[in-house]
Amino acid sequence: MLTLTFHGAAGCVTGFCALLQTDQGRFLVDCGMFQGPKTLRALNHEPFPFNPDSIDGVFLTHAHIDHSGLLPKLVKAGFKGSIISTRATRDLCEVMLADSADIQQGDVDHLNRRNQRRGIAPVEPIYGPEDVAPTLALFETVKFGEWLDPAPGLRVRYWPAGHLLGAASIELEIENAGDIVHMLFSGDLGSGEQPYLVRPDGPAGVDHLVLESTYGDRVREDMDLAHRRALLAKEVRAAKAAGGPLLMPTFAIGRAQELILELLAIMEAEPDLATDIFLDSPLAIEATEVFLRRGWNADASVNPYLPLRNAPRLHTLLRPQDSDGLERLRDWHIILAGSGMCDAGRIRRHLKRLLWRKETTVLITGFQAAGSLGRILLETPPMVRIQGDDVRVNARIRSLDVYSGHADAPALMDWLAAREPVRGQVFLAHGEPEALEGLQDRITAAGRSGDQVTIPRLDQTFSLTPTRAEALDGPAARLAPGAEARPDWHNARAGLLETLNETLQALPTDEERDALLARLTAAVTAGAGRGRP
């Protein structure tokens, strides 16, 4: 029996990992890290829901951490097969996985110092820097358009996905019980309108398709270069007029490089906006070297990233002490720092020191998963909690969606139409519930029957034939349905504490504050006594 199990990015955007069990062996498509609410991120620390040393190979779509981030954990747990990717993806993983390991080690060290003061036992990182080199040693690279035979009766071909340098859609032909099952995993798809990447492509006529749905319910503004640049220039002008720095939480791989190119072009066109640009992300700095080396765009016959090589206004900050030096700056300057969802990296330190200043502008330019600090900031709360500290939000919080690397709903539909006929099932993954349902509605409205469009649940398994996909009974999912993509109790607790602090400060007397705290304590104690913590 040929089966497909969705062990990640099912009902949510992050952590994509699909398990194919075939006559030829057991293979993963991606092995990504979960991001967003703590309940979802906790899955990164749990054992895999499969035996890692039974996996024969991994087909990797691209380097973003929500697709590649648990590969070192897989290797640490016993995986010894091949990891197949494009050359650019392999080179980006070299810097990205090392950075991920450093961040995890640093975060755990910080947490353990806090836990030691509280008398809590220390925790271990998911993996450490020592696990990266053994992972990279398992990579094998493939060129776009070339068939690869990783096992008898199994063929694989990679197609450009247009989402990131080296990003691929993955086509598989699998012999199963005398039949050939023809499958396609879209990976993350670009819009096709970006000037820096090739247009997404893929084969026509497959049996089953796994389609990403990040923006499945959205129609974005015009994505052409001139329009995007005009919108960004408007935000830059407003940030300068506010009198303080422009802070841009930035995805280090792809987004950082494109935004810097756009900022440099805007400053050349409008010299009054010229200022220093600080790239405060070791990962983005090292990744830029990969873009300079591997960034040739065959559609445009040019490497569009070459202006990054000698840009006088661009300052790269590798060492932590270089980052610390930004605290002395005032007035107009621009900082790009990771992570893009504000949940890790140096961006948190900048947010802690700048969010309370009214002259600061925070410009968010990418998708923010439910429960992430970036999503919370977009809701403009009065206070946020960062690394255990409460920080007041006085800064201007702005969002610009035209720089996303993901195709919107019309672009996804166009890409799907070019893959027809899809004879069997279209599985919708890598999206939050509203996006998944929105894209499902569009596909059925275009003529596909509803029973041929499936939104899989986390850890759900399907048996596949060339024309049918049937859901199988299996172990319970690691999370309750719907828990993957909504804020969890950790977010609710932080919100309650913020509300409590605001309310206590607003009360006119200490007696009223004491009375409120007494009532709250009684309610919590009574709830716990009835078994409701």
Side-chain angles (χ1 to χ4, degrees):
M1 184 186 300
L2 171 62
T3 63
L4 168 65
T5 306
F6 291 86
H7 286 308
C12 63
V13 169
T14 64
F16 191 82
C17 181
L19 171 61
L20 279 167
Q21 300 193 69
T22 76
D23 291 342
Q24 296 75 26
R26 308 176 82 221
F27 301 89
L28 298 181
V29 177
D30 292 344
C31 190
M33 184 174 285
F34 291 100
Q35 298 168 299
K38 284 187 177 181
T39 299
L40 187 60
R41 284 185 280 134
L43 296 181
N44 295 325
H45 296 268
E46 294 182 5
F48 286 108
F50 49 80
N51 186 358
D53 63 14
S54 73
I55 302 299
D56 297 288
V58 178
F59 307 123
L60 182 60
T61 61
H62 66 287
H64 278 148
I65 211 72
D66 61 322
H67 292 258
S68 70
L70 291 187
L71 286 172
K73 176 184 175 181
L74 188 73
V75 174
K76 183 179 180 180
F79 170 72
K80 297 180 177 64
S82 297
I83 302 168
I84 300 171
S85 76
T86 64
R87 169 62 69 178
T89 292
R90 188 267 175 214
D91 289 355
L92 288 173
C93 281
E94 182 173 3
V95 296
M96 196 151 200
L97 296 178
D99 181 77
S100 173
D102 287 341
I103 287 175
Q104 289 174 64
Q105 188 67 62
D107 285 352
V108 164
D109 290 344
H110 175 80
L111 177 62
N112 283 339
R113 287 193 294 270
R114 292 176 60 201
N115 285 348
Q116 187 176 23
R117 294 192 294 268
R118 299 170 180 174
I120 300 174
V123 298
E124 295 290 330
I126 302 169
Y127 54 84
E130 69 280 2
D131 299 307
V132 175
T135 303
L136 294 172
L138 298 180
F139 270 76
E140 296 181 12
T141 60
V142 62
K143 294 180 179 179
F144 287 124
E146 293 186 357
W147 283 105
L148 183 72
D149 300 292
L154 175 64
R155 295 208 305 163
V156 180
R157 181 165 55 168
Y158 281 47
W159 295 82
H163 169 71
L164 173 71
L165 186 66
S169 300
I170 300 179
E171 177 186 10
L172 300 102
E173 289 185 353
I174 307 165
E175 288 186 13
N176 183 67
D179 292 320
I180 300 292
V181 179
H182 192 187
M183 299 188 64
L184 180 63
F185 290 80
S186 73
D188 287 1
L189 294 170
S191 66
E193 301 298 327
Q194 300 183 56
Y196 304 107
L197 298 167
V198 297
R199 297 183 66 85
D201 199 359
V206 298
D207 295 328
H208 302 289
L209 170 64
V210 179
L211 179 60
E212 75 116 319
S213 314
T214 309
Y215 285 131
D217 61 340
R218 297 194 209 176
V219 179
R220 285 206 303 263
E221 293 188 63
D222 188 357
M223 292 282 287
D224 73 77
L225 179 60
H227 184 66
R228 293 196 316 175
R229 191 171 291 171
L231 292 175
L232 180 59
K234 181 180 178 181
E235 295 292 343
V236 173
R237 288 188 213 104
K240 181 184 178 184
L246 171 59
L247 180 59
M248 302 176 71
T250 309
F251 295 95
I253 307 291
R255 188 69 42 75
Q257 292 75 25
E258 292 182 18
L259 284 170
I260 294 170
L261 287 169
E262 296 292 270
L263 290 168
L264 292 172
I266 289 168
M267 292 178 188
E268 183 176 359
E270 301 184 46
D272 61 308
L273 296 178
T275 189
D276 291 319
I277 302 171
F278 297 95
L279 180 56
D280 191 17
S281 167
L283 172 58
I285 295 165
E286 293 183 36
T288 298
E289 293 301 316
V290 179
F291 280 80
L292 290 170
R293 188 169 66 248
R294 302 282 182 193
W296 177 261
N297 184 328
D299 289 348
S301 297
V302 68
N303 183 340
Y305 301 98
L306 291 180
L308 296 174
R309 191 179 298 281
N310 295 301
R313 292 201 172 274
L314 176 61
H315 308 278
T316 55
L317 309 180
L318 276 171
R319 302 176 304 168
Q321 53 265 43
D322 297 332
S323 179
D324 294 340
L326 296 181
E327 296 185 11
R328 298 189 296 271
L329 296 179
R330 296 292 183 269
D331 302 323
W332 171 232
H333 59 280
I334 299 174
I335 302 171
L336 291 87
S339 67
M341 294 188 194
C342 307
D343 278 337
R346 295 182 182 179
I347 189 64
R348 293 177 298 179
R349 296 172 58 198
H350 294 302
L351 288 169
K352 285 174 72 171
R353 70 180 183 84
L354 293 174
L355 272 177
W356 64 273
R357 293 169 54 184
K358 291 186 292 185
E359 65 272 22
T360 298
T361 299
V362 178
L363 178 59
I364 294 175
T365 59
F367 183 83
Q368 306 297 308
S372 66
L373 177 56
R375 175 73 72 88
I376 293 168
L377 285 172
L378 288 176
E379 298 166 357
T380 60
M383 194 91 68
V384 292
R385 194 166 183 83
I386 304 175
Q387 293 179 313
D389 295 327
D390 292 326
V391 183
R392 182 167 294 279
V393 181
N394 291 326
R396 299 171 64 250
I397 309 297
R398 302 290 298 164
S399 176
L400 191 57
D401 199 26
V402 292
Y403 281 92
S404 173
H406 289 272
D408 66 359
L412 289 170
M413 291 297 294
D414 288 345
W415 188 87
L416 171 59
R419 311 284 79 80
E420 295 285 7
V422 179
R423 291 175 284 272
Q425 204 74 11
V426 175
F427 295 98
L428 301 182
H430 206 284
E432 293 182 353
E434 296 82 1
L436 293 163
E437 292 164 8
L439 187 56
Q440 184 181 46
D441 290 344
R442 284 176 177 266
I443 295 173
T444 55
R448 179 171 289 272
S449 65
D451 62 357
Q452 287 186 305
V453 185
T454 297
I455 300 175
R457 301 187 307 274
L458 182 67
D459 299 322
Q460 188 173 18
T461 298
F462 299 83
S463 67
L464 304 178
T465 68
T467 58
R468 294 194 59 187
E470 181 180 351
L472 301 178
D473 293 332
R478 287 168 289 166
L479 292 178
E484 308 95 342
R486 64 170 179 252
D488 59 12
W489 69 268
H490 298 279
N491 301 113
R493 178 183 62 180
L496 174 62
L497 292 175
E498 292 163 12
T499 301
L500 178 61
N501 288 336
E502 291 282 322
T503 303
L504 289 171
Q505 292 173 15
L507 291 174
T509 67
D510 285 347
E511 289 77 10
E512 290 174 279
R513 297 184 183 98
D514 288 338
L516 174 60
L517 289 170
R519 293 196 301 273
L520 181 60
T521 300
V524 171
T525 303
R530 291 193 296 270
R532 296 198 307 272

